[in-house]
PDB file of all heavy atoms in Angstrom:
ATOM      1  N   ASP A1512     -52.104  47.167-133.776  1.00  0.00           N
ATOM      2  CA  ASP A1512     -51.238  47.892-132.842  1.00  0.00           C
ATOM      3  C   ASP A1512     -50.975  49.303-133.396  1.00  0.00           C
ATOM      4  O   ASP A1512     -50.101  49.479-134.223  1.00  0.00           O
ATOM      5  CB  ASP A1512     -49.927  47.106-132.676  1.00  0.00           C
ATOM      6  CG  ASP A1512     -49.043  47.700-131.594  1.00  0.00           C
ATOM      7  OD1 ASP A1512     -49.459  48.681-130.972  1.00  0.00           O
ATOM      8  OD2 ASP A1512     -47.931  47.174-131.404  1.00  0.00           O
ATOM      9  N   SER A1513     -51.657  50.322-133.066  1.00  0.00           N
ATOM     10  CA  SER A1513     -52.700  50.428-132.081  1.00  0.00           C
ATOM     11  C   SER A1513     -53.954  50.993-132.717  1.00  0.00           C
ATOM     12  O   SER A1513     -53.872  51.552-133.805  1.00  0.00           O
ATOM     13  CB  SER A1513     -52.252  51.395-130.972  1.00  0.00           C
ATOM     14  OG  SER A1513     -52.254  52.717-131.486  1.00  0.00           O
ATOM     15  N   ILE A1514     -55.071  50.890-132.025  1.00  0.00           N
ATOM     16  CA  ILE A1514     -56.341  51.332-132.586  1.00  0.00           C
ATOM     17  C   ILE A1514     -56.360  52.869-132.718  1.00  0.00           C
ATOM     18  O   ILE A1514     -56.983  53.422-133.622  1.00  0.00           O
ATOM     19  CB  ILE A1514     -57.533  50.794-131.738  1.00  0.00           C
ATOM     20  CG1 ILE A1514     -58.875  51.037-132.417  1.00  0.00           C
ATOM     21  CG2 ILE A1514     -57.546  51.343-130.335  1.00  0.00           C
ATOM     22  CD1 ILE A1514     -59.124  50.212-133.633  1.00  0.00           C
ATOM     23  N   GLN A1515     -55.635  53.552-131.844  1.00  0.00           N
ATOM     24  CA  GLN A1515     -55.620  55.035-131.912  1.00  0.00           C
ATOM     25  C   GLN A1515     -54.892  55.568-133.138  1.00  0.00           C
ATOM     26  O   GLN A1515     -55.099  56.697-133.533  1.00  0.00           O
ATOM     27  CB  GLN A1515     -54.943  55.637-130.673  1.00  0.00           C
ATOM     28  CG  GLN A1515     -55.879  55.818-129.520  1.00  0.00           C
ATOM     29  CD  GLN A1515     -55.643  54.775-128.470  1.00  0.00           C
ATOM     30  OE1 GLN A1515     -55.072  53.708-128.759  1.00  0.00           O
ATOM     31  NE2 GLN A1515     -56.077  55.031-127.271  1.00  0.00           N
ATOM     32  N   ALA A1516     -54.003  54.732-133.717  1.00  0.00           N
ATOM     33  CA  ALA A1516     -53.216  55.216-134.853  1.00  0.00           C
ATOM     34  C   ALA A1516     -53.952  55.049-136.171  1.00  0.00           C
ATOM     35  O   ALA A1516     -53.489  55.518-137.214  1.00  0.00           O
ATOM     36  CB  ALA A1516     -51.887  54.466-134.889  1.00  0.00           C
ATOM     37  N   LEU A1517     -55.109  54.373-136.153  1.00  0.00           N
ATOM     38  CA  LEU A1517     -55.827  54.124-137.404  1.00  0.00           C
ATOM     39  C   LEU A1517     -56.605  55.351-137.862  1.00  0.00           C
ATOM     40  O   LEU A1517     -56.980  56.202-137.065  1.00  0.00           O
ATOM     41  CB  LEU A1517     -56.805  52.956-137.235  1.00  0.00           C
ATOM     42  CG  LEU A1517     -56.211  51.592-136.930  1.00  0.00           C
ATOM     43  CD1 LEU A1517     -57.284  50.538-137.057  1.00  0.00           C
ATOM     44  CD2 LEU A1517     -55.054  51.259-137.849  1.00  0.00           C
ATOM     45  N   SER A1518     -56.861  55.392-139.172  1.00  0.00           N
ATOM     46  CA  SER A1518     -57.615  56.509-139.722  1.00  0.00           C
ATOM     47  C   SER A1518     -58.745  55.937-140.587  1.00  0.00           C
ATOM     48  O   SER A1518     -58.523  55.046-141.399  1.00  0.00           O
ATOM     49  CB  SER A1518     -56.639  57.354-140.539  1.00  0.00           C
ATOM     50  OG  SER A1518     -57.326  58.104-141.463  1.00  0.00           O
ATOM     51  N   SER A1519     -59.956  56.467-140.366  1.00  0.00           N
ATOM     52  CA  SER A1519     -61.096  55.952-141.117  1.00  0.00           C
ATOM     53  C   SER A1519     -61.698  57.065-141.968  1.00  0.00           C
ATOM     54  O   SER A1519     -61.963  58.156-141.463  1.00  0.00           O
ATOM     55  CB  SER A1519     -62.136  55.413-140.135  1.00  0.00           C
ATOM     56  OG  SER A1519     -63.333  55.183-140.812  1.00  0.00           O
ATOM     57  N   ALA A1520     -61.907  56.777-143.253  1.00  0.00           N
ATOM     58  CA  ALA A1520     -62.446  57.791-144.161  1.00  0.00           C
ATOM     59  C   ALA A1520     -63.910  58.081-143.845  1.00  0.00           C
ATOM     60  O   ALA A1520     -64.441  59.122-144.231  1.00  0.00           O
ATOM     61  CB  ALA A1520     -62.311  57.298-145.594  1.00  0.00           C
ATOM     62  N   ASN A1521     -64.571  57.174-143.094  1.00  0.00           N
ATOM     63  CA  ASN A1521     -65.993  57.378-142.792  1.00  0.00           C
ATOM     64  C   ASN A1521     -66.241  58.383-141.689  1.00  0.00           C
ATOM     65  O   ASN A1521     -67.365  58.701-141.376  1.00  0.00           O
ATOM     66  CB  ASN A1521     -66.640  56.050-142.362  1.00  0.00           C
ATOM     67  CG  ASN A1521     -66.764  55.141-143.544  1.00  0.00           C
ATOM     68  OD1 ASN A1521     -66.700  55.588-144.686  1.00  0.00           O
ATOM     69  ND2 ASN A1521     -66.918  53.858-143.270  1.00  0.00           N
ATOM     70  N   SER A1522     -65.177  58.826-141.042  1.00  0.00           N
ATOM     71  CA  SER A1522     -65.359  59.787-139.955  1.00  0.00           C
ATOM     72  C   SER A1522     -64.602  61.060-140.304  1.00  0.00           C
ATOM     73  O   SER A1522     -63.468  61.012-140.777  1.00  0.00           O
ATOM     74  CB  SER A1522     -64.817  59.166-138.667  1.00  0.00           C
ATOM     75  OG  SER A1522     -64.873  60.096-137.644  1.00  0.00           O
ATOM     76  N   ASN A1523     -65.246  62.226-140.071  1.00  0.00           N
ATOM     77  CA  ASN A1523     -64.622  63.501-140.462  1.00  0.00           C
ATOM     78  C   ASN A1523     -63.568  63.962-139.477  1.00  0.00           C
ATOM     79  O   ASN A1523     -62.755  64.817-139.781  1.00  0.00           O
ATOM     80  CB  ASN A1523     -65.691  64.610-140.525  1.00  0.00           C
ATOM     81  CG  ASN A1523     -66.719  64.274-141.583  1.00  0.00           C
ATOM     82  OD1 ASN A1523     -66.416  63.526-142.508  1.00  0.00           O
ATOM     83  ND2 ASN A1523     -67.919  64.808-141.434  1.00  0.00           N
ATOM     84  N   SER A1524     -63.591  63.430-138.260  1.00  0.00           N
ATOM     85  CA  SER A1524     -62.688  63.965-137.250  1.00  0.00           C
ATOM     86  C   SER A1524     -61.247  63.477-137.472  1.00  0.00           C
ATOM     87  O   SER A1524     -60.989  62.587-138.279  1.00  0.00           O
ATOM     88  CB  SER A1524     -63.184  63.587-135.875  1.00  0.00           C
ATOM     89  OG  SER A1524     -63.509  62.235-135.868  1.00  0.00           O
ATOM     90  N   TYR A1525     -60.335  64.054-136.719  1.00  0.00           N
ATOM     91  CA  TYR A1525     -58.911  63.776-136.913  1.00  0.00           C
ATOM     92  C   TYR A1525     -58.521  62.405-136.347  1.00  0.00           C
ATOM     93  O   TYR A1525     -59.152  61.934-135.408  1.00  0.00           O
ATOM     94  CB  TYR A1525     -58.061  64.884-136.268  1.00  0.00           C
ATOM     95  CG  TYR A1525     -58.435  65.151-134.841  1.00  0.00           C
ATOM     96  CD1 TYR A1525     -57.809  64.490-133.795  1.00  0.00           C
ATOM     97  CD2 TYR A1525     -59.435  66.080-134.516  1.00  0.00           C
ATOM     98  CE1 TYR A1525     -58.164  64.710-132.484  1.00  0.00           C
ATOM     99  CE2 TYR A1525     -59.795  66.309-133.201  1.00  0.00           C
ATOM    100  CZ  TYR A1525     -59.161  65.621-132.190  1.00  0.00           C
ATOM    101  OH  TYR A1525     -59.515  65.831-130.895  1.00  0.00           O
ATOM    102  N   PRO A1526     -57.470  61.752-136.941  1.00  0.00           N
ATOM    103  CA  PRO A1526     -57.056  60.430-136.438  1.00  0.00           C
ATOM    104  C   PRO A1526     -56.700  60.508-134.950  1.00  0.00           C
ATOM    105  O   PRO A1526     -56.115  61.491-134.506  1.00  0.00           O
ATOM    106  CB  PRO A1526     -55.822  60.090-137.280  1.00  0.00           C
ATOM    107  CG  PRO A1526     -55.936  60.931-138.488  1.00  0.00           C
ATOM    108  CD  PRO A1526     -56.669  62.183-138.092  1.00  0.00           C
ATOM    109  N   GLY A1527     -57.058  59.498-134.229  1.00  0.00           N
ATOM    110  CA  GLY A1527     -56.761  59.480-132.794  1.00  0.00           C
ATOM    111  C   GLY A1527     -57.911  60.027-131.968  1.00  0.00           C
ATOM    112  O   GLY A1527     -57.952  59.850-130.759  1.00  0.00           O
ATOM    113  N   SER A1528     -58.875  60.736-132.622  1.00  0.00           N
ATOM    114  CA  SER A1528     -59.997  61.279-131.861  1.00  0.00           C
ATOM    115  C   SER A1528     -60.931  60.130-131.486  1.00  0.00           C
ATOM    116  O   SER A1528     -60.899  59.055-132.104  1.00  0.00           O
ATOM    117  CB  SER A1528     -60.763  62.296-132.693  1.00  0.00           C
ATOM    118  OG  SER A1528     -61.400  61.639-133.751  1.00  0.00           O
ATOM    119  N   VAL A1529     -61.762  60.376-130.492  1.00  0.00           N
ATOM    120  CA  VAL A1529     -62.621  59.313-130.000  1.00  0.00           C
ATOM    121  C   VAL A1529     -63.556  58.802-131.100  1.00  0.00           C
ATOM    122  O   VAL A1529     -63.793  57.605-131.229  1.00  0.00           O
ATOM    123  CB  VAL A1529     -63.422  59.817-128.782  1.00  0.00           C
ATOM    124  CG1 VAL A1529     -64.367  58.753-128.281  1.00  0.00           C
ATOM    125  CG2 VAL A1529     -62.467  60.219-127.699  1.00  0.00           C
ATOM    126  N   ALA A1530     -64.070  59.738-131.938  1.00  0.00           N
ATOM    127  CA  ALA A1530     -64.994  59.339-132.998  1.00  0.00           C
ATOM    128  C   ALA A1530     -64.305  58.373-133.970  1.00  0.00           C
ATOM    129  O   ALA A1530     -64.868  57.353-134.370  1.00  0.00           O
ATOM    130  CB  ALA A1530     -65.495  60.575-133.729  1.00  0.00           C
ATOM    131  N   GLN A1531     -63.048  58.695-134.343  1.00  0.00           N
ATOM    132  CA  GLN A1531     -62.293  57.843-135.278  1.00  0.00           C
ATOM    133  C   GLN A1531     -62.003  56.477-134.667  1.00  0.00           C
ATOM    134  O   GLN A1531     -62.134  55.443-135.315  1.00  0.00           O
ATOM    135  CB  GLN A1531     -60.955  58.516-135.623  1.00  0.00           C
ATOM    136  CG  GLN A1531     -61.080  59.637-136.598  1.00  0.00           C
ATOM    137  CD  GLN A1531     -60.707  59.204-138.011  1.00  0.00           C
ATOM    138  OE1 GLN A1531     -60.245  58.093-138.220  1.00  0.00           O
ATOM    139  NE2 GLN A1531     -60.907  60.088-138.964  1.00  0.00           N
ATOM    140  N   VAL A1532     -61.574  56.489-133.408  1.00  0.00           N
ATOM    141  CA  VAL A1532     -61.207  55.241-132.736  1.00  0.00           C
ATOM    142  C   VAL A1532     -62.428  54.332-132.654  1.00  0.00           C
ATOM    143  O   VAL A1532     -62.364  53.133-132.942  1.00  0.00           O
ATOM    144  CB  VAL A1532     -60.645  55.548-131.327  1.00  0.00           C
ATOM    145  CG1 VAL A1532     -60.526  54.291-130.496  1.00  0.00           C
ATOM    146  CG2 VAL A1532     -59.295  56.224-131.440  1.00  0.00           C
ATOM    147  N   ARG A1533     -63.579  54.943-132.316  1.00  0.00           N
ATOM    148  CA  ARG A1533     -64.807  54.159-132.178  1.00  0.00           C
ATOM    149  C   ARG A1533     -65.225  53.557-133.531  1.00  0.00           C
ATOM    150  O   ARG A1533     -65.583  52.400-133.627  1.00  0.00           O
ATOM    151  CB  ARG A1533     -65.904  55.061-131.637  1.00  0.00           C
ATOM    152  CG  ARG A1533     -67.124  54.294-131.247  1.00  0.00           C
ATOM    153  CD  ARG A1533     -67.814  54.844-130.050  1.00  0.00           C
ATOM    154  NE  ARG A1533     -68.493  56.093-130.340  1.00  0.00           N
ATOM    155  CZ  ARG A1533     -69.216  56.747-129.447  1.00  0.00           C
ATOM    156  NH1 ARG A1533     -69.317  56.291-128.237  1.00  0.00           N
ATOM    157  NH2 ARG A1533     -69.803  57.866-129.755  1.00  0.00           N
ATOM    158  N   GLU A1534     -65.126  54.383-134.566  1.00  0.00           N
ATOM    159  CA  GLU A1534     -65.503  53.935-135.911  1.00  0.00           C
ATOM    160  C   GLU A1534     -64.604  52.765-136.349  1.00  0.00           C
ATOM    161  O   GLU A1534     -65.071  51.710-136.762  1.00  0.00           O
ATOM    162  CB  GLU A1534     -65.364  55.135-136.875  1.00  0.00           C
ATOM    163  CG  GLU A1534     -65.418  54.817-138.345  1.00  0.00           C
ATOM    164  CD  GLU A1534     -66.835  54.563-138.832  1.00  0.00           C
ATOM    165  OE1 GLU A1534     -67.762  54.955-138.113  1.00  0.00           O
ATOM    166  OE2 GLU A1534     -66.978  53.948-139.898  1.00  0.00           O
ATOM    167  N   ALA A1535     -63.267  52.974-136.194  1.00  0.00           N
ATOM    168  CA  ALA A1535     -62.314  51.946-136.627  1.00  0.00           C
ATOM    169  C   ALA A1535     -62.534  50.651-135.859  1.00  0.00           C
ATOM    170  O   ALA A1535     -62.577  49.551-136.444  1.00  0.00           O
ATOM    171  CB  ALA A1535     -60.890  52.442-136.421  1.00  0.00           C
ATOM    172  N   ALA A1536     -62.713  50.767-134.531  1.00  0.00           N
ATOM    173  CA  ALA A1536     -62.875  49.551-133.716  1.00  0.00           C
ATOM    174  C   ALA A1536     -64.149  48.818-134.080  1.00  0.00           C
ATOM    175  O   ALA A1536     -64.155  47.589-134.183  1.00  0.00           O
ATOM    176  CB  ALA A1536     -62.875  49.911-132.232  1.00  0.00           C
ATOM    177  N   SER A1537     -65.248  49.547-134.309  1.00  0.00           N
ATOM    178  CA  SER A1537     -66.491  48.824-134.583  1.00  0.00           C
ATOM    179  C   SER A1537     -66.451  48.191-135.967  1.00  0.00           C
ATOM    180  O   SER A1537     -66.900  47.051-136.136  1.00  0.00           O
ATOM    181  CB  SER A1537     -67.726  49.711-134.390  1.00  0.00           C
ATOM    182  OG  SER A1537     -67.684  50.769-135.283  1.00  0.00           O
ATOM    183  N   VAL A1538     -65.869  48.874-136.969  1.00  0.00           N
ATOM    184  CA  VAL A1538     -65.790  48.288-138.325  1.00  0.00           C
ATOM    185  C   VAL A1538     -64.962  47.001-138.280  1.00  0.00           C
ATOM    186  O   VAL A1538     -65.381  45.950-138.774  1.00  0.00           O
ATOM    187  CB  VAL A1538     -65.169  49.312-139.306  1.00  0.00           C
ATOM    188  CG1 VAL A1538     -64.757  48.638-140.602  1.00  0.00           C
ATOM    189  CG2 VAL A1538     -66.137  50.443-139.585  1.00  0.00           C
ATOM    190  N   LEU A1539     -63.771  47.092-137.662  1.00  0.00           N
ATOM    191  CA  LEU A1539     -62.873  45.927-137.684  1.00  0.00           C
ATOM    192  C   LEU A1539     -63.409  44.780-136.842  1.00  0.00           C
ATOM    193  O   LEU A1539     -63.276  43.614-137.200  1.00  0.00           O
ATOM    194  CB  LEU A1539     -61.476  46.343-137.205  1.00  0.00           C
ATOM    195  CG  LEU A1539     -60.767  47.284-138.185  1.00  0.00           C
ATOM    196  CD1 LEU A1539     -59.527  47.871-137.571  1.00  0.00           C
ATOM    197  CD2 LEU A1539     -60.418  46.559-139.476  1.00  0.00           C
ATOM    198  N   SER A1540     -64.044  45.131-135.729  1.00  0.00           N
ATOM    199  CA  SER A1540     -64.542  44.062-134.877  1.00  0.00           C
ATOM    200  C   SER A1540     -65.698  43.326-135.562  1.00  0.00           C
ATOM    201  O   SER A1540     -65.763  42.095-135.512  1.00  0.00           O
ATOM    202  CB  SER A1540     -64.881  44.646-133.509  1.00  0.00           C
ATOM    203  OG  SER A1540     -66.103  44.315-133.082  1.00  0.00           O
ATOM    204  N   LEU A1541     -66.581  44.067-136.242  1.00  0.00           N
ATOM    205  CA  LEU A1541     -67.682  43.407-136.970  1.00  0.00           C
ATOM    206  C   LEU A1541     -67.150  42.514-138.090  1.00  0.00           C
ATOM    207  O   LEU A1541     -67.614  41.391-138.286  1.00  0.00           O
ATOM    208  CB  LEU A1541     -68.622  44.455-137.570  1.00  0.00           C
ATOM    209  CG  LEU A1541     -69.661  45.020-136.606  1.00  0.00           C
ATOM    210  CD1 LEU A1541     -70.471  46.112-137.269  1.00  0.00           C
ATOM    211  CD2 LEU A1541     -70.578  43.901-136.126  1.00  0.00           C
ATOM    212  N   LEU A1542     -66.135  43.053-138.784  1.00  0.00           N
ATOM    213  CA  LEU A1542     -65.556  42.303-139.896  1.00  0.00           C
ATOM    214  C   LEU A1542     -64.950  40.982-139.394  1.00  0.00           C
ATOM    215  O   LEU A1542     -65.174  39.911-139.963  1.00  0.00           O
ATOM    216  CB  LEU A1542     -64.484  43.161-140.578  1.00  0.00           C
ATOM    217  CG  LEU A1542     -63.830  42.563-141.798  1.00  0.00           C
ATOM    218  CD1 LEU A1542     -64.828  42.469-142.936  1.00  0.00           C
ATOM    219  CD2 LEU A1542     -62.641  43.416-142.242  1.00  0.00           C
ATOM    220  N   CYS A1543     -64.173  41.068-138.312  1.00  0.00           N
ATOM    221  CA  CYS A1543     -63.521  39.860-137.794  1.00  0.00           C
ATOM    222  C   CYS A1543     -64.561  38.875-137.277  1.00  0.00           C
ATOM    223  O   CYS A1543     -64.392  37.662-137.415  1.00  0.00           O
ATOM    224  CB  CYS A1543     -62.511  40.216-136.714  1.00  0.00           C
ATOM    225  SG  CYS A1543     -61.058  40.994-137.420  1.00  0.00           S
ATOM    226  N   LYS A1544     -65.617  39.391-136.647  1.00  0.00           N
ATOM    227  CA  LYS A1544     -66.673  38.488-136.156  1.00  0.00           C
ATOM    228  C   LYS A1544     -67.296  37.728-137.330  1.00  0.00           C
ATOM    229  O   LYS A1544     -67.631  36.562-137.216  1.00  0.00           O
ATOM    230  CB  LYS A1544     -67.744  39.284-135.414  1.00  0.00           C
ATOM    231  CG  LYS A1544     -67.356  39.581-133.972  1.00  0.00           C
ATOM    232  CD  LYS A1544     -68.514  40.067-133.160  1.00  0.00           C
ATOM    233  CE  LYS A1544     -68.120  40.721-131.868  1.00  0.00           C
ATOM    234  NZ  LYS A1544     -67.228  40.101-130.989  1.00  0.00           N
ATOM    235  N   ARG A1545     -67.451  38.425-138.475  1.00  0.00           N
ATOM    236  CA  ARG A1545     -68.053  37.777-139.634  1.00  0.00           C
ATOM    237  C   ARG A1545     -67.214  36.572-140.075  1.00  0.00           C
ATOM    238  O   ARG A1545     -67.707  35.561-140.519  1.00  0.00           O
ATOM    239  CB  ARG A1545     -68.177  38.784-140.775  1.00  0.00           C
ATOM    240  CG  ARG A1545     -69.147  38.308-141.846  1.00  0.00           C
ATOM    241  CD  ARG A1545     -69.131  39.185-143.071  1.00  0.00           C
ATOM    242  NE  ARG A1545     -69.374  40.576-142.813  1.00  0.00           N
ATOM    243  CZ  ARG A1545     -68.934  41.559-143.609  1.00  0.00           C
ATOM    244  NH1 ARG A1545     -68.236  41.281-144.694  1.00  0.00           N
ATOM    245  NH2 ARG A1545     -69.190  42.812-143.331  1.00  0.00           N
TER     246      ARG A1545
END
Side-chain angles (χ1 to χ4, degrees):
D1512 187 2
S1513 71
I1514 189 70
Q1515 274 105 339
L1517 296 191
S1518 158
S1519 168
N1521 289 342
S1522 175
N1523 298 336
S1524 47
Y1525 52 91
S1528 68
V1529 178
Q1531 283 260 354
V1532 168
R1533 190 144 72 177
E1534 167 77 17
S1537 62
V1538 166
L1539 292 169
S1540 130
L1541 278 176
L1542 183 68
C1543 288
K1544 278 193 196 310
R1545 197 188 305 154

